[in-house]
Amino acid sequence: MSRTQVIVGLGSCGVAAGANKTYEKIKALNDAEKLGIELKKTSCVGMCYREPLVEIIDESGSYLYGEVDESRAIEIIDKHITQGNPVKEYVVKTDLFVTEDNTFLDAQVKIALRNCGFIDPENIEEYELRGGYKAIKDIAIHKTEPAAIIQTVLDSGLRGRGGGGFPTGLKWRFAANNQSDEKYVICNADEGDPGAFMDRSLLEGDPHSVLEGMIIAAYSISATGGVIYCRAEYPLAIKRLNIALDQARTKGYLGENILGNEGFDFDIYIKEGAGAFVCGEETALIASIEGQRGMPRKRPPFPAVSGLWKKPTNINNVETFANIPWIVSNGAPAYAKYGTEKSKGTKVFALAGKVKRSGLVEVPMGISIRDIIFKIAGGIKDNKRFKAVQLGGPSGGCIPEYMADTIVDYDSVNATGAIMGSGGMVVMDETTCMVDVAKFFLDFTQKESCGKCTFCRIGTKRMLEILQRITEGEGREGDIEMLEELSVQIKENSLCGLGQTAPNPVLTTLRYFRDEYQAHIHDKKCPALACKKLVTYKVFDDKCTGCTVCAKNCPVDAISGSRKEIHFIDQDKCIRCGVCYSKCKFDAIVLS
């Protein structure tokens, strides 16, 4: 190695944590002190909980430093670069010694995320140096039959990572078999699940892998045009995609007669979506691209027969396309060796919620939910009790702690009542009210309903009203039965996946946490002490020192008491905001 490399993570998570300032500080130090380091940029490596991240690669090896703000950057540059002494206490990952964060990355298998955190996503040469565009080059050189590529994808066992889990190769075959002078390939990047950021991170970190996957798909089905449908609220992903598209055109990976293959003409443009969750449904997405209101339609015909502009169209999501170049280059058996009988390969998850280590992970199918939460994510924050995990976002469901040994594959997860979805994984602890969780997700889907079908538009609204009453202590006999009946009707009669899956959070919480619903309705209590209108704040006499902090911070003057005297909370005035509870340093405010 000629020069020491210093690489700063500049994905959205890093930027939000202040990585741009860290980068500028290191750049200024390098210029002012003539350190001679090679300063580079990359994107998210997955350890979002340790951002900003800075990697230093010198002759002794690689050191990934965490939580590097400007002052820590000065210290690290001084000790590591100038004095040659790595600052071990700040290192979160290295192969040279063990750190407490080592297990976060060591337990993962990275295929879709193979380049994230390793390359500058705005530099096509770095993608090529790691084998990028080799798959499409080989196809062009050997003039591989499209049917052979489709068979490879089919043999790999890759199922659509957008949530449906339909075999990708079969989907491609349907589109290939339909003859037309025009065909299209669409990348669904309309990620919008609460807690999900897999696609955004992948597009920010390795946009060329998605483009290459789309180009291979286009070659396989004889497509003439491509569209990436990405929500406008992902500006960094869109910026890097546009850079990648320009670079790919310059290099001849997009355009006419791609890589000298006469007649293989294909280009891609980006359609920025307005952020409607229903546009993740493929017929609504197509309508939006065509300039219509994003609403689904009945199927058949399926997009493989009549899709964009009524031409045969193949739609896959970001993660699916990112896997394709690796599968073509390494062969179907290499991919299929990971996973279970019916769910091959790996899956990317966005880990969020009450875990110690939140971030982006890629794991082999077949790993248990418990291993993801405790071995990779480090367990639950503040040593609280693990209660449940929400899989599949608002279309998914809650899996309780006693089912945490469920393995991650499509069939096993579906059997719990949840779904794999695109990969959102929200972990909950003992302080989470499951009725409130169901209300949160139903509130989301109710607001995101396009309103086209009555069961989704009005049914979810009636369900939400019932949940609202229950969490406010106004639940009544028959509410649970009504929720169940409405759920069945909405699932059976809604037009698209949004409505058909909207009741899942309610149904799974009713299945596994029915006692919590009953406590809210019959006892007017929230067992998790989370529903504001069902809790009471009181002063614990033995611990109150009369410091007056609670009274001074109460927004409605509900707390009385003189200095050094025990205070009192007027329950008629108390609005249960919890400010007194959070401000008291003596644990003198109790919640019941």
Side-chain angles (χ1 to χ4, degrees):
M1 180 184 296
S2 58
R3 285 198 296 171
T4 297
Q5 292 184 350
V6 179
I7 307 165
V8 182
L10 289 169
S12 283
C13 50
V15 172
N20 273 329
K21 291 181 179 176
T22 301
Y23 178 87
E24 292 302 324
K25 175 57 69 176
I26 295 173
K27 185 174 184 298
L29 289 170
N30 191 33
D31 293 342
E33 300 179 20
K34 302 187 185 312
L35 299 173
I37 59 176
E38 184 181 2
L39 183 59
K40 301 175 66 177
K41 299 176 180 178
T42 188
S43 196
C44 174
V45 300
M47 287 180 157
C48 304
Y49 66 102
R50 288 290 201 186
E51 293 284 2
L53 290 160
V54 174
E55 183 181 16
I56 295 181
I57 304 175
D58 59 20
E59 291 182 348
S60 64
S62 165
Y63 303 81
L64 183 63
Y65 289 97
E67 299 168 18
V68 186
D69 56 15
E70 291 173 273
S71 62
R72 186 172 284 189
I74 295 170
E75 182 182 352
I76 291 170
I77 293 297
D78 178 48
K79 291 181 178 176
H80 191 147
I81 302 296
T82 306
Q83 301 177 36
N85 297 316
V87 191
K88 290 187 175 181
E89 59 265 38
Y90 300 152
V91 175
V92 295
K93 179 73 175 74
T94 180
D95 292 332
L96 303 172
F97 52 86
V98 176
T99 72
E100 64 175 283
D101 295 281
N102 264 16
T103 54
F104 183 85
L105 292 175
D106 290 348
Q108 299 186 45
V109 175
K110 296 202 173 189
I111 294 177
L113 300 177
R114 59 193 177 280
N115 295 319
C116 291
F118 293 98
I119 64 169
D120 179 350
E122 299 181 12
N123 187 330
I124 191 171
E125 281 79 16
E126 292 199 13
Y127 177 71
E128 290 175 317
L129 282 173
R130 288 179 61 88
Y133 289 114
K134 180 178 180 303
I136 189 63
K137 282 179 183 173
D138 288 344
I139 289 170
I141 291 169
H142 300 295
K143 299 189 183 305
T144 310
E145 287 293 326
I149 301 168
I150 293 174
Q151 190 61 50
T152 297
V153 176
L154 201 56
D155 291 344
S156 74
L158 176 66
R159 296 170 65 171
R161 298 301 194 238
F166 192 80
T168 303
L170 201 55
K171 205 171 187 179
W172 287 20
R173 181 172 289 170
F174 290 152
N177 288 342
N178 287 295
Q179 301 304 311
S180 175
D181 57 339
E182 293 179 30
K183 293 184 186 179
Y184 296 98
V185 171
I186 296 176
C187 175
N188 183 351
D190 192 52
E191 179 180 63
D193 315 32
F197 47 89
M198 303 79 59
D199 292 350
R200 188 200 70 208
S201 297
L202 222 164
L203 289 172
E204 290 176 358
D206 190 17
H208 283 290
S209 68
V210 180
L211 300 189
E212 188 177 2
M214 292 180 70
I215 296 167
I216 294 170
Y219 179 89
S220 303
I221 70 168
S222 302
T224 51
V227 182
I228 299 175
Y229 189 90
C230 185
R231 53 179 50 214
E233 58 205 67
Y234 284 1
L236 186 57
I238 290 172
K239 174 195 168 190
R240 288 178 178 170
L241 273 172
N242 276 315
I243 291 171
L245 285 169
D246 287 343
Q247 293 173 340
R249 291 185 189 111
T250 302
K251 288 264 187 175
Y253 298 123
L254 289 171
E256 296 181 355
N257 302 321
I258 292 173
L259 297 172
N261 199 313
E262 191 172 350
F264 180 28
D265 305 334
F266 180 70
D267 207 341
I268 300 169
Y269 78 92
I270 299 171
K271 168 70 177 179
E272 295 186 31
F277 185 66
V278 72
C279 286
E281 204 282 334
E282 56 187 21
T283 58
L285 184 153
I286 288 171
S288 180
I289 294 174
E290 292 176 341
Q292 305 169 47
R293 185 173 174 181
M295 300 176 92
R297 61 162 173 79
K298 279 188 175 180
R299 298 179 300 177
F302 290 93
V305 177
S306 179
L308 184 61
W309 311 118
K310 301 191 184 308
K311 302 292 184 180
T313 301
N314 178 80
I315 304 177
N316 291 120
N317 89 323
V318 172
E319 185 184 341
T320 309
F321 281 126
N323 276 303
I324 295 297
W326 191 94
I327 291 170
V328 172
S329 290
N330 294 277
Y335 189 78
K337 77 177 184 181
Y338 298 107
T340 62
E341 183 181 353
K342 295 182 179 178
S343 298
K344 302 295 187 185
T346 59
K347 180 75 191 84
V348 178
F349 286 101
L351 265 173
K354 303 294 181 64
V355 285
K356 293 177 181 174
R357 304 169 185 160
S358 58
L360 198 67
V361 302
E362 183 173 2
V363 292
M365 292 280 197
I367 190 174
S368 73
I369 293 171
R370 190 182 300 280
D371 280 350
I372 294 175
I373 294 173
F374 287 92
K375 289 186 179 177
I376 296 177
I380 309 300
K381 281 181 182 175
D382 303 322
N383 295 317
K384 286 192 165 56
R385 182 174 62 82
F386 168 44
K387 185 172 185 178
V389 58
Q390 167 81 8
L391 270 182
S395 302
C398 295
I399 300 173
E401 186 277 336
Y402 69 84
M403 296 180 71
D405 292 318
T406 300
I407 62 169
V408 171
D409 73 8
Y410 288 93
D411 302 311
S412 301
V413 172
N414 288 351
T416 67
I419 61 171
M420 189 82 84
S422 55
M425 183 177 280
V426 183
V427 181
M428 303 160 193
D429 68 14
E430 64 197 71
T431 64
T432 305
C433 170
M434 302 311 293
V435 185
D436 194 48
V437 164
K439 186 180 72 173
F440 170 81
F441 283 108
L442 194 69
D443 180 57
F444 177 84
T445 47
Q446 200 277 321
K447 287 174 178 170
E448 294 290 336
S449 170
C450 74
K452 186 171 185 176
C453 54
T454 309
F455 284 92
C456 179
R457 182 180 72 247
I458 299 178
T460 54
K461 186 170 179 60
R462 294 289 92 84
M463 288 182 71
L464 183 60
E465 289 169 351
I466 294 171
L467 290 171
Q468 187 71 35
R469 281 196 292 100
I470 292 174
T471 55
E472 292 179 354
E474 296 174 6
R476 47 190 183 235
E477 289 293 338
D479 276 349
I480 291 177
E481 291 74 16
M482 180 58 73
L483 285 172
E484 290 174 326
E485 183 180 344
L486 284 169
S487 295
V488 172
Q489 295 294 330
I490 294 166
K491 285 177 75 71
E492 290 182 351
N493 296 291
S494 291
L495 179 61
C496 78
L498 189 150
Q500 291 161 5
T501 58
N504 284 349
V506 179
L507 288 173
T508 51
T509 50
L510 275 171
R511 182 192 296 183
Y512 302 119
F513 301 95
R514 199 180 190 89
D515 56 329
E516 290 197 27
Y517 280 84
Q518 292 168 336
H520 282 73
I521 295 170
H522 301 141
D523 305 328
K524 309 302 179 191
K525 290 184 178 178
C526 174
L529 301 177
C531 294
K532 282 187 176 180
K533 291 198 174 182
L534 297 178
V535 298
T536 302
Y537 292 91
K538 292 182 178 178
V539 176
F540 185 27
D541 294 357
D542 291 349
K543 290 193 174 181
C544 181
T545 64
C547 71
T548 73
V549 169
C550 60
K552 289 177 181 174
N553 284 281
C554 179
V556 292
D557 295 326
I559 303 177
S560 58
S562 301
R563 188 166 182 78
K564 295 186 179 180
E565 289 181 354
I566 296 171
H567 283 48
F568 172 77
I569 300 176
D570 185 337
Q571 297 301 323
D572 292 333
K573 289 184 178 179
C574 178
I575 59 172
R576 297 162 179 81
C577 63
V579 170
C580 56
Y581 184 78
S582 62
K583 292 290 183 182
C584 181
K585 296 179 180 178
F586 305 100
D587 296 327
I589 307 292
V590 293
L591 194 59
S592 61

